[in-house]
């Protein structure tokens, strides 16, 4: 029986593995340690009906440690509820588990998060650049990548060429 | 070679009759070329909406002879770069340009093709003239169809006034 | 002429390893791929065995630009995400910022935003259907649809000043109110729309060739659709009746009476028909909204985000300083994060904003439906013929600006 998710129900069923559960502008937010991710997400999918994986992205809290906060969004097509999962990973070892075993939409979105921030998704063996190109060095959405630093593939024309 | 106008030097000047026939030939070939432009719509972004609008009624580039798009660079002579060109797309644009045969003209359609628009960052090329030579720049984000038609007419004037060597290097 | 080897910007997932397979590259400069998608296909004769989709040829660094501009200066950038329906992007973004600031828009603004969202939805579906029909060879249908779309563009230009990228939404309201006679012209356009769409129905719906090319081609099952994150007409054509306007109503949708069309097979014909019916439902909604549009102020009376009236700016020092600070520093949005999703013509368009206080975003992420659909498109292409690639891709309505951001 898929139960409609509320803060209390999530705290009760998932217990300590759910980390901190709160409500933010009508959305359930779970802040948990990265090791709990795959267990909590599969329980959210089977027990609470969060069958659609919307998005994964990261926030670069430059200057703080751990530096990156990886954010996942889920949607339940049966209860019309939304959930956000947040976890922190350090700069030296930005590895989280991949959700490709649970959701098909994870493939492309994890590739984008990887190339933009450098987050490694353990379990996704195809982390080629998707929006950027082969040969691009660096992760542009990190705060220390200057916005106008271009890496041209084609050399620019000179005057009169 | 770019069919640009260049002055006839005294050393190259032939008889007045040759110059007369050369000018008349240029006018005839220019007239034929300007009214039968085959655009290659290298379409990427939002300007595509205005490109679709200018190609169909009520604006209609068919009135100017520039209606039939040819999606092969070998068969086209006007490369319309419609929309932003990013660094990832740049090798593709250069390859398409190189595959086109002479005479060819390039139209930078829209602010992004002209100068990068307001995307001055790591991803977009700040104007396609960094990669290929451009004959006419069309401002606007996206340009109104009337602006595009004005640009086509100006390009047609330029083609009409150009030197068109078709038989030898100078005639 | 540069004397160097042109680099390949992508790394394909496969080479021509298997016997009997030919690897054909489609795009990225290809009319059917809307100019910015590269699909590397492994073919066995005409049958498509494997497909490797590459997007990113229109990645313009939108999310990085967001960290450098004020909240209000980003509205032109959001316009250019799904450029076929620019107003919906405006309103979804403005609503996200208004949620963070705790602002509630006025009733007139709410109804007008709903009306314009539905109007934009019509323009987007017209573009999608026109392009996909033209790629099948139905040039007449393309010209009819672009004609009516041109009326819509000119009409929106009378309101906003631009035909394609409007920049009309503002944080706390809209840029300006309706001019005189705008609603009368809207009525005329809706009548002309019925006429044009009647012709398209007559040309296409029971056309033998059209049905043969679109029925049972590009089929997606409901389970696959949900697993790959499909939303919008892609999901509804597979038979799953999910629509954010009904399930989690925002703006004025809760008060409107409309249906959500659903498909049967999940094939290209269903997607075409779902879009045609959605346009009819949008017309119904617009007529209801025209009747119910309330009078009253358009912008919320909140000095934190709405610019003061010009006569006040020129006469009072407080308004002058307010105006100056709003333009130079941007509206000060309290720290926090929000995810707001609207039902865009392609599906769920979500904005995830992170603010640390101040006038510029700390982070902005767009959950774009086209990008997610690209992740699942291989399920709709593998196993069909090469010629089926054209109608299938056209029916997805992949918009480059939204896919690559």
């Amino acid at each position: 029986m898929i139960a409609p998710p509320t803060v209390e129900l999530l705290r009760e069923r998932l217990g300590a593995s759910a980390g901190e559960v709160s409500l933010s502008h009508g959305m359930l937010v779970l802040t948990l340690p990265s090791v709990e991710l795959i267990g909590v997400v599969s329980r959210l999918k089977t027990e609470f009906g969060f069958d659609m994986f919307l998005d994964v992205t990261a926030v670069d809290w430059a200057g703080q440690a751990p530096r990156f906060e990886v954010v996942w969004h889920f949607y339940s097509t049966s209860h019309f509820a939304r959930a956000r999962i947040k976890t922190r990973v350090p700069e030296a070892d930005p590895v989280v588990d991949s959700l490709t075993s649970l959701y098909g939409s994870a493939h492309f979105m994890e590739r984008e998060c990887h190339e933009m921030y450098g987050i490694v998704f353990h379990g996704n063996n195809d982390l080629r650049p998707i929006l950027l190109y082969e040969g691009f060095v660096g992760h542009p959405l990190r705060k220390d990548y200057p916005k106008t630093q271009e890496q041209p593939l084609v050399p620019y024309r000179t005057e009169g060429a | 070679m770019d069919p640009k106008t260049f002055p006839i030097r005294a050393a190259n000047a032939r008889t007045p009759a040759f110059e007369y026939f050369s000018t008349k030939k240029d006018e005839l070939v220019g007239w034929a070329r300007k009214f039968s432009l085959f655009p290659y719509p290298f379409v990427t972004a939002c300007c595509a909406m205005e490109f679709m609008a200018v190609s169909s009624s009520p604006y209609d580039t068919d009135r100017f002879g520039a209606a039939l798009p040819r999606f092969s660079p070998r068969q086209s002579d006007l490369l319309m770069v419609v929309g932003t060109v990013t660094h990832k797309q740049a090798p593709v644009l250069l390859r398409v340009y190189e595959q086109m045969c002479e005479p060819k003209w390039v139209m930078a359609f829209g602010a992004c093709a002209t100068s990068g628009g307001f995307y001055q960052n790591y991803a977009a090329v700040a104007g396609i003239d960094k990669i290929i030579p451009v004959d006419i720049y069309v401002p606007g984000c996206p340009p109104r169809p009337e602006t595009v038609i004005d640009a086509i007419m100006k390009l047609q004037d330029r083609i009409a006034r150009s030197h068109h060597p078709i038989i030898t290097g100078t005639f | 002429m540069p004397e160097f080897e042109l680099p390949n910007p992508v790394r394909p997932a496969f080479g021509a390893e298997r016997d009997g397979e030919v690897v054909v590259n489609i795009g990225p400069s290809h009319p059917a791929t809307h100019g910015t998608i590269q699909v590397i296909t492994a073919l066995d004769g005409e049958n498509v065995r494997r497909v490797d989709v590459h997007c990113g040829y229109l990645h313009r660094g939108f999310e990085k630009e967001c960290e450098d501009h004020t909240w209000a200066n980003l509205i032109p950038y959001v316009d250019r995400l799904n450029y076929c329906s620019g107003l919906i992007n405006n309103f979804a973004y403005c609503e996200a910022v208004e949620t963070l600031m705790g602002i509630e828009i006025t009733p007139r603004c709410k109804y007008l935003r709903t009306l314009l969202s539905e109007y934009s939805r019509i323009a987007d579906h017209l573009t999608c259907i026109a392009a996909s029909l033209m790629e099948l060879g139905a040039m007449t249908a393309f010209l009819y649809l672009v004609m009516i779309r041109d009326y819509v563009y000119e009409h929106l230009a009378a309101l906003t000043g631009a035909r394609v990228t409007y920049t009309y939404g503002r944080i706390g309201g809209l840029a300006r109110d309706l001019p005189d006679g705008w609603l009368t012209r809207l009525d005329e356009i809706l009548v002309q729309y019925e006429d044009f769409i009647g012709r398209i129905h007559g040309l296409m719906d029971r056309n033998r060739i059209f049905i043969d090319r679109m029925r049972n081609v590009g089929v997606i099952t409901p389970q696959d659709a949900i697993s790959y994150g499909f939303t919008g007409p892609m999901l509804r054509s597979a038979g799953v009746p999910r629509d954010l306007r009904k399930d989690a109503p925002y703006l004025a949708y809760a008060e409107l009476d409309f249906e959500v069309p659903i498909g049967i097979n999940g094939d290209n014909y269903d997607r075409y028909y779902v879009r045609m019916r959605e346009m009819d439902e949008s017309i119904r909604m617009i007529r209801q909204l025209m009747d119910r549009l309330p009078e009253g102020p358009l912008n919320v009376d909140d000095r934190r985000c709405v610019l003061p009236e010009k006569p006040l700016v020129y006469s009072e020092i407080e308004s002058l300083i307010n105006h100056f600070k709003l333009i130079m520093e941007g509206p000060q949005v309290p720290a926090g994060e929000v995810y707001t999703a609207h039902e865009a013509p392609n599906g769920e368009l979500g904005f995830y904003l992170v603010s640390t206080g101040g006038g510029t975003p700390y982070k902005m992420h767009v959950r774009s439906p086209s990008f997610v659909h690209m992740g699942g498109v291989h399920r709709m292409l593998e196993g069909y013929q090469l010629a089926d690639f054209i109608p299938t891709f056209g029916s997805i309505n992949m918009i480059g600006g939204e896919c690559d951001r």
Side-chain angles (χ1 to χ4, degrees), chain A residues 52 54-55 57-58 60 77 82 84 86 104-105 112 117 128 130-131 134 140 142-143 145 147 155, chain C residues 4 9 11 13 52 55-56 59 63-65 67-68 227-228 230 242 337 348 362-363 365 367 405:
Chain A
M52 192 174 282
L54 291 178
D55 205 17
T57 184
D60 179 6
T77 55
R82 294 187 186 276
R84 179 185 303 147
K86 305 200 302 186
S105 48
E112 187 208 337
Y117 286 97
R128 291 174 292 161
I130 185 167
L131 296 183
E134 289 292 321
R142 289 190 178 185
K143 293 288 179 184
Y145 189 95
K147 184 182 86 161
Chain C
F4 78 113
R11 194 185 344 145
D52 185 20
C55 36
H59 174 64
E63 296 180 6
K64 190 76 178 177
E65 290 281 356
E67 296 168 12
D68 255 355
S227 165
Y228 281 99
F230 285 14
R242 294 277 74 87
E337 57 184 16
E348 175 173 328
Y362 190 77
K363 171 179 169 83
H365 180 73
R367 188 267 177 200
R405 274 152 286 149

Side-chain angles (χ1 to χ4, degrees), chain C residues 124-239:
Chain C
D124 193 314
H125 285 330
L126 283 173
T127 313
C128 169
I129 296 174
S132 58
L133 290 181
M134 178 175 69
E135 284 154 15
L136 286 176
M139 193 69 192
T140 308
F142 169 78
L143 290 173
Y144 281 146
L145 289 166
V146 173
M147 181 95 238
I148 187 75
R149 189 190 74 161
D150 209 81
Y151 293 158
V152 172
Y153 276 177
E154 282 299 326
H155 192 222
L156 280 169
L159 172 66
T160 64
R163 285 164 50 100
V164 181
T165 47
Y166 312 102
T167 316
Y168 181 63
R170 296 284 182 273
I171 300 168
L174 297 170
R176 64 189 68 81
D177 209 335
L178 298 177
D180 291 332
W182 199 82
L183 290 172
T184 323
R185 175 74 189 137
L186 179 61
D187 217 1
E188 286 169 26
I189 289 180
L190 296 184
V191 170
Q192 282 171 316
Y193 164 87
E194 309 277 345
D195 176 29
F196 279 96
I197 286 293
R199 298 181 204 180
I200 305 296
H201 278 297
L203 280 173
M204 305 267 66
D205 282 7
R206 297 168 65 99
N207 185 322
R208 180 78 253 166
I209 301 174
F210 185 69
I211 295 176
D212 277 345
R213 284 213 69 179
M214 302 280 264
R215 255 284 170 245
N216 297 321
V217 171
V219 176
I220 188 98
T221 59
Q223 296 77 18
D224 265 348
I226 294 182
S227 165
Y228 281 99
F230 285 14
T231 46
M234 301 278 288
L235 185 62
R236 292 196 278 279
S237 74

Side-chain angles (χ1 to χ4, degrees), chain B residues 106-118:
Chain B
V106 177
M107 172 189 284
F109 189 125
C112 288
T114 306
S115 65
F118 58 15

Side-chain angles (χ1 to χ4, degrees), chain A residues 96-111:
Chain A
V96 289
D97 284 323
S98 163
L99 299 182
T100 46
S101 51
L102 295 168
Y103 301 99
S105 48
H107 287 97
F108 268 35
M109 292 197 266
E110 288 175 356
R111 277 170 75 178

Side-chain angles (χ1 to χ4, degrees), chain C residues 360-381:
Chain C
T360 59
Y362 190 77
K363 171 179 169 83
M364 157 116 82
H365 180 73
V366 178
R367 188 267 177 200
S368 70
S370 298
F371 181 65
V372 182
H373 293 167
M374 286 294 105
V377 89
H378 64 277
R379 304 286 297 169
M380 298 159 62
L381 293 177

Side-chain angles (χ1 to χ4, degrees), chain C residues 81-123:
Chain C
L81 289 174
N82 184 343
Y83 36 79
C84 297
S85 57
L87 288 169
I88 297 184
N89 309 327
N90 280 181
F91 301 151
Y93 169 72
C94 289
E95 187 175 307
V97 181
E98 286 155 9
T99 313
L100 266 184
M101 289 180 84
I103 292 173
E104 187 165 327
I105 50 176
T106 63
R108 184 173 173 82
C109 178
K110 191 172 73 160
Y111 279 83
L112 204 47
R113 279 188 183 180
T114 318
L115 194 155
L116 291 169
S117 291
E118 290 309 307
Y119 208 31
S120 267
R121 190 181 310 273
I122 293 175

